[in-house]
Amino acid sequence: MSVQSSVPLATREDLALAYTPGVAQVCEAIAADEALVHELTWVGRAVAVVTDGSAVLGLGNIGPRAAMPVMEGKAVLFKQFGGVDAVPICLDTQDPDEIVAIVTALAPSFGGINLEDISAPRCFEIERRLEATLPIPVFHDDQHGTAIVVLAALRNAARVLGRELHDLRIVVSGAGAAGVAVTKMLISGGADAGEIVVLDSRGCLHTGRTDLNPEKSALAARTNAGGITGDIVNALRGADVLIGVSGGTIGEAALAGMSPGGAIFALANPTPEVHPSIAARYASVVATGRSDFPNQINNVLAFPGIFRGALEAGATRITDGMKVAAASAIASVLAADELSLGTIVPSALDPRVAPAVAAAVAAAARVDGVLR
């Protein structure tokens, strides 16, 4: 990464405009109308990529310094795929109050906040509080980026399989940040909430459990209409879709209970919950989070275009409608003759994706009335 000027600084006149005395006129204009900061500075196209290093990839709580390479990579992806400038910020605190206070204080320097690799359940509280406080988009990519691409992929998988999303029985293995967001996004996108079963490390979420945190309890109240209890074997019996966002391993005995001709998304990185060669024995469509297998569920399909669209529209937040619009745009990039069992999402390098997502997100922001 590096910072580069977007205009030449070759003469004394250039320098006088970029710095003193010319810059004072811009300062005075913004002081008179603070909204101009989005037009007259880089704020309108800049995002902070913020982490506390508590849940980095599959590496866990490795701290802010070891998290920096991931945040740098994220910032490069923002620029490469969305044309959005991003700054990695790794905080040496894991206290939610301190994180909210720091990000709030930094917010005037940015047009949006991308939260990254912050562990659950703290990530839910941090995002909620920042959304309520800040007049700019706040987006926890580990939750919503994953969820958006999963929805896009499952819509296209259903098309390939000749099924309808609302008719699928879906099992989500994992009730952390990604699992909660994936479930909510699937429901927003048209899946039948009652036919979704979510599992955490102790088994199926259901209303009879008394050990659930507020996020899981709310999820249990919306899903699992059949009241399925027990482990993954029980949950997968007769299921059409398995979405793994938990790590660990799901055995063949559990997979064998699935309905034939369905889909398995094993998204843990770097080791999927089910190896694709095994998953293919029990499902027609197989997806992972890895680039060396077909059907990679990659957040880079979502976040660059989402922030580009939100920033270009002047959105103050990212609504559920904007997220569903992003998923629809990703799914629609592939024409009918491009879809197959091994191609349910575009490549992360497909140049059509980010512009399509940006346009859809900006349009949805206007519809939802969340513009400055």
Side-chain angles (χ1 to χ4, degrees):
M1 287 183 63
S2 65
V3 175
Q4 294 180 313
S5 176
S6 60
V7 296
L9 293 176
T11 68
R12 291 173 62 88
E13 289 75 17
D14 293 339
L15 189 59
L17 281 173
Y19 201 47
T20 186
V23 73
Q25 294 184 28
V26 185
C27 296
E28 289 173 340
I30 295 170
D33 181 2
E34 290 190 346
L36 289 175
V37 72
H38 294 277
E39 299 175 32
L40 302 181
T41 75
W42 86 328
V43 165
R45 62 178 188 279
V47 171
V49 181
V50 180
T51 189
D52 63 359
S54 60
V56 180
L57 302 177
L59 303 175
N61 188 355
I62 60 175
R65 292 167 184 83
M68 178 56 81
V70 178
M71 303 310 119
E72 285 184 323
K74 194 65 173 278
V76 170
L77 295 174
F78 264 114
K79 186 67 172 181
Q80 179 71 27
F81 295 107
V84 174
D85 292 303
V87 179
I89 297 176
C90 300
L91 303 179
D92 196 8
T93 177
Q94 295 186 0
D95 179 83
D97 292 338
E98 291 186 358
I99 293 171
V100 170
I102 292 168
V103 174
T104 300
L106 288 170
S109 297
F110 299 98
I113 305 294
N114 183 98
L115 300 174
E116 192 76 21
D117 291 347
I118 299 173
S119 63
R122 295 176 310 116
C123 61
F124 304 120
E125 174 193 351
I126 291 167
E127 184 184 44
R128 267 198 302 266
R129 290 171 61 183
L130 288 172
E131 281 185 327
T133 301
L134 299 180
I136 57 176
V138 178
F139 184 83
H140 184 203
D141 186 51
D142 302 295
Q143 295 183 59
H144 310 301
T146 300
I148 288 165
V149 182
V150 166
L151 174 58
L154 192 54
R155 280 183 168 177
N156 278 349
R159 288 172 64 191
V160 170
L161 296 172
R163 304 287 299 275
E164 296 292 336
L165 182 63
H166 60 80
D167 291 331
L168 298 174
R169 280 202 55 217
I170 302 169
V171 172
V172 179
S173 177
V180 170
V182 163
T183 304
K184 290 179 178 178
M185 182 59 56
L186 292 176
I187 295 169
S188 295
D192 184 345
E195 292 297 322
I196 300 176
V197 178
V198 184
L199 294 96
D200 65 6
S201 60
R202 297 184 179 180
C204 299
L205 303 192
H206 56 85
T207 54
R209 282 183 56 177
T210 58
D211 60 339
L212 303 179
N213 64 36
E215 287 291 338
K216 294 181 183 180
S217 182
L219 211 55
R222 295 183 70 186
T223 60
N224 194 5
I228 297 171
T229 62
D231 60 10
I232 189 78
V233 174
N234 289 351
L236 282 176
R237 195 169 292 121
D240 301 300
V241 178
L242 165 63
I243 300 171
V245 283
S246 62
T249 301
I250 298 174
E252 288 195 61
L255 302 176
M258 293 182 66
S259 293
I264 294 176
F265 293 4
L267 305 183
N269 261 322
T271 305
E273 294 89 347
V274 183
H275 192 277
S277 63
I278 296 174
R281 301 172 190 168
Y282 303 97
S284 296
V285 174
V286 177
T288 72
R290 290 173 47 152
S291 60
D292 53 346
F293 293 109
N295 293 328
Q296 184 189 18
I297 307 301
N298 192 330
N299 290 13
V300 78
L301 291 168
F303 67 82
I306 288 170
F307 271 97
R308 176 174 162 181
L311 294 175
E312 287 181 350
T316 57
R317 57 191 300 261
I318 296 174
T319 64
D320 286 346
M322 293 161 73
K323 296 170 192 172
V324 172
S328 297
I330 294 167
S332 298
V333 163
L334 293 177
D337 60 356
E338 295 178 281
L339 285 173
S340 69
L341 297 176
T343 307
I344 57 170
V345 287
S347 162
L349 298 172
D350 191 321
R352 299 173 294 175
V353 175
V357 173
V361 167
R366 289 188 284 271
V367 170
D368 289 348
V370 291
L371 307 184
R372 282 194 307 273

